[in-house]
Amino acid sequence: GAGVSQSPSNKVTEKGKDVELRCDPISGHTALYWYRQRLGQGLEFLIYFQGNSAPDKSGLPSDRFSAERTGESVSTLTIQRTQQEDSAVYLCASSLVQGALGNTIYFGEGSWLTVV
Amino acid sequence: QKEVEQNSGPLSVPEGAIASLNCTYSDRGSQSFFWYRQYSGKSPELIMSIYSNGDKEDGRFTAQLNKASQYVSLLIRDSQPSDSATYLCAVGGGSNYKLTFGKGTLLTVNP
């Protein structure tokens, strides 16, 4: 597709349930990011995939959070046993890495998660 | 731990004035620098990128980079109410390609 596609755009779930968020990056982009943004807050880095390298998971807030990516395609972010503090917009972004420069990243519209 | 710091704001300027947004970064090996604009309830959109020391102008926007001081700024000339948004500084390159974002500065342009 022309841009980063995320689904669902909105999700309301009950506390304790698991949720899965999907991201389809721009075709050919080797790098993929997940960020979380709580209401009125800045971007919080969660995880970074770059090609076939081991992902940088340093931003995942707890072991309830996990993410997968198959090759250079779709990624899923899974939150198990959701808590109310997980309510946020989850932003996916991708970039075409060109050496140390040119790694402009493009964001999807986000998945708005509300845990009730 | 790589850090990107922005003036916390909020920043309020009158219409037609120059808005100045500042950002400092901790990783001296950083090589790419970006400014994103985020309207309330929307995802960030890229407005400027800069890689070399000095100024880069694009319309009413000027990005300034000083690698020795580890400082990057964004100037918005002739500010318009439509410029009211949160501006995010992002830094990348160096030892890996991951972008690190600052927490953003909320800009309000008053008519």
Side-chain angles (χ1 to χ4, degrees):
Chain A
V4 178
S5 178
Q6 292 188 245
S7 62
S9 54
N10 283 285
K11 176 73 176 179
V12 180
T13 190
E14 292 181 351
K15 179 180 173 181
K17 300 281 189 181
D18 296 352
V19 296
E20 191 172 277
L21 308 177
R22 176 188 167 104
C23 174
D24 197 348
I26 294 172
S27 178
H29 279 194
T30 58
L32 185 147
Y33 305 75
W34 283 99
Y35 288 89
R36 178 170 72 177
Q37 189 173 35
R38 293 192 171 107
L39 189 64
Q41 302 297 310
L43 290 173
E44 180 184 2
F45 168 75
L46 296 178
I47 189 167
Y48 166 64
F49 296 91
Q50 168 50 33
N52 294 318
S53 301
D56 178 348
K57 302 180 180 181
S58 60
L60 294 178
S62 77
D63 59 8
R64 297 187 295 107
F65 288 73
S66 63
E68 293 184 349
R69 186 185 188 194
T70 304
E72 296 180 356
S73 61
V74 171
S75 175
T76 54
L77 176 68
T78 302
I79 309 172
Q80 295 179 309
R81 306 181 301 282
T82 52
Q83 304 295 313
Q84 287 184 329
E85 65 261 28
D86 299 335
S87 297
V89 58
Y90 290 82
L91 290 163
C92 178
S94 71
S95 72
L96 177 63
V97 176
Q98 298 171 327
L101 304 180
N103 53 331
T104 303
I105 77 172
Y106 299 91
F107 285 87
E109 291 300 309
S111 291
W112 294 77
L113 175 66
T114 303
V115 181
V116 297
Chain B
Q1 180 80 358
K2 299 176 184 178
E3 294 185 350
V4 177
E5 301 285 342
Q6 296 184 240
N7 42 342
S8 58
L11 177 65
S12 182
V13 300
E15 184 174 355
I18 296 175
S20 177
L21 303 161
N22 304 314
C23 175
T24 59
Y25 58 94
S26 63
D27 182 6
R28 190 168 286 278
S30 300
Q31 298 187 40
S32 54
F33 307 87
F34 305 88
W35 284 98
Y36 284 80
R37 177 176 61 198
Q38 187 177 27
Y39 291 114
S40 181
K42 299 293 186 181
S43 60
E45 59 178 325
L46 178 70
I47 53 172
M48 288 286 285
S49 60
I50 186 167
Y51 307 105
S52 303
N53 280 329
D55 294 0
K56 179 181 178 182
E57 187 174 318
D58 183 1
R60 294 185 297 110
F61 298 95
T62 299
Q64 299 175 317
L65 175 62
N66 184 327
K67 291 186 179 180
S69 300
Q70 296 173 244
Y71 174 90
V72 58
S73 67
L74 180 69
L75 299 177
I76 307 175
R77 290 182 302 281
D78 187 24
S79 295
Q80 301 297 308
S82 59
D83 295 327
S84 298
T86 296
Y87 289 80
L88 300 165
C89 172
V91 175
S95 59
N96 65 53
Y97 309 129
K98 185 178 75 175
L99 283 188
T100 302
F101 282 79
K103 294 188 181 301
T105 300
L106 177 61
L107 171 67
T108 301
V109 180
N110 300 303

